[in-house]
């Protein structure tokens, strides 16, 4: 099963040119319009179905898109390259940090979007603001292998960090992970789909306490449980 999944993804990638900037095949939803910056970076919303998505992932995606219709849930768009507004939010806090050289800016990618379609992290996050929770639908591709046939623990940590961060995120405020605690209870099969349910448990000054579990689609298997502490950066400190 794993071999066929990998082979399928390889041919898919080859068909598509295997390069950044190769257009995604059309989906019933139109991705956000592409914007070309001075560095010729293409901004495409990656949190939309592509041909590497399994039937399970597409089915769950459709179910959550339905939940978005009454406004209780929203799908969070996600981009491979830096997002100007988010960069602005963070820039003010890291005054002493050397900027990435102009020539390399177009190479900068969000870690969890750093692979071509289907090979690494395929995910979409839905947020329910009233209930202060998010659901992340995640399919770990063949480049994320750790123990043969299973997703690397570091990759699981990365997607958990991302899901928790977006659960804790406050619009216009910069936050960072201060603590991440994960119990890995069962290995996650490569190319399978898992559901990460996150919630904001407590807000205490600048500290946001969040937790999540990683479950199988049928909810019968709990793969991991995690807690996270995110800190709103202090505008008074300005640099770290
Ligand atoms: C982030 C997403 C944004 C959304 C955008 C969307 C973009 C698309 C999605 C991308 C999603 C990617 C998500 C990746 C998120 C990362 O991976 S971030 C990278 C990993 N994290 C880091 O590198 C952080 C490194 N640490 C630091 O820079 C600093 O320690 C921090 C976290 C900013 C805190 O520094 P500080 O503001 O000086 O805080 P400080 O005054 O020391 O402490 C404040 C309070 O927190 C407590 N505290 C601080 N650290 C700890 C700790 N480790 N344990 C317990 N308590 C602690 C203190 O005790 C204190 O408590 P009180 O005394 O107020 O009760």
């Amino acid at each position: 099963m794993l071999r066929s999944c990998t082979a399928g993804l390889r041919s898919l990638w080859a068909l598509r040119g295997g390069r950044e900037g190769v257009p995604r095949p059309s989906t019933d939803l139109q991705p956000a319009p592409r914007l070309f910056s001075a560095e010729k970076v293409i901004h495409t919303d990656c949190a939309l179905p592509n041909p590497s998505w399994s039937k399970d992932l597409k089915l769950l995606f459709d179910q959550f898109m339905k939940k978005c219709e009454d406004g209780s849930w929203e799908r969070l768009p996600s981009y491979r390259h830096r997002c100007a507004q988010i960069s602005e939010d963070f820039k003010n806090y890291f005054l002493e940090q050397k900027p990435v050289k102009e020539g390399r800016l177009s190479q900068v990618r969000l870690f969890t979007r750093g692979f071509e379609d289907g090979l690494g992290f395929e995910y979409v996050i839905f947020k329910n603001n009233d209930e202060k929770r998010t659901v992340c639908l995640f399919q770990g591709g063949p480049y994320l292998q750790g123990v043969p046939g299973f997703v690397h623990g570091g990759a699981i940590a990365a997607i958990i960090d991302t899901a928790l961060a977006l659960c804790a995120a406050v619009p216009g405020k910069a936050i960072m992970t201060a603590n991440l605690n994960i119990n890995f209870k069962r290995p996650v099969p490569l190319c399978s789909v898992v559901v990460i349910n996150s919630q904001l448990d407590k807000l205490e000054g600048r500290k946001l306490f969040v937790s999540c579990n990683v479950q199988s689609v049928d909810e019968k298997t709990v793969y991991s449980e995690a807690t996270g502490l995110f800190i709103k950066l202090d505008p008074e400190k300005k640099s770290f």
Side-chain angles (χ1 to χ4, degrees), residues 77-79 83 86 89-90 94 110 112 123 125 158 160-166 168-170 173-180 204-207 209 229-234 237 239-240:
S78 171
Y79 301 95
C83 164
I86 290 165
D89 287 346
F90 281 87
F94 298 99
L110 182 65
T112 49
Y123 65 98
I125 298 178
I160 285 177
D161 192 15
T162 302
L164 289 177
L166 289 168
V170 185
K173 298 264 189 267
I175 61 168
M176 284 187 96
T177 320
N179 182 272
L180 187 58
E204 210 178 85
R206 292 196 289 125
K207 296 186 285 188
F209 295 86
L229 170 63
F230 289 78
I231 309 280
K232 277 187 220 167
L233 301 189
D234 182 350
K237 294 194 177 170
S239 75
F240 292 89

Side-chain angles (χ1 to χ4, degrees), residues 184-201:
F184 296 100
K185 298 167 94 72
R186 295 275 180 278
V188 176
L190 214 52
C191 301
S192 71
V193 177
V194 297
V195 179
I196 306 172
N197 296 289
S198 309
Q199 63 190 49
L200 177 65
D201 296 321

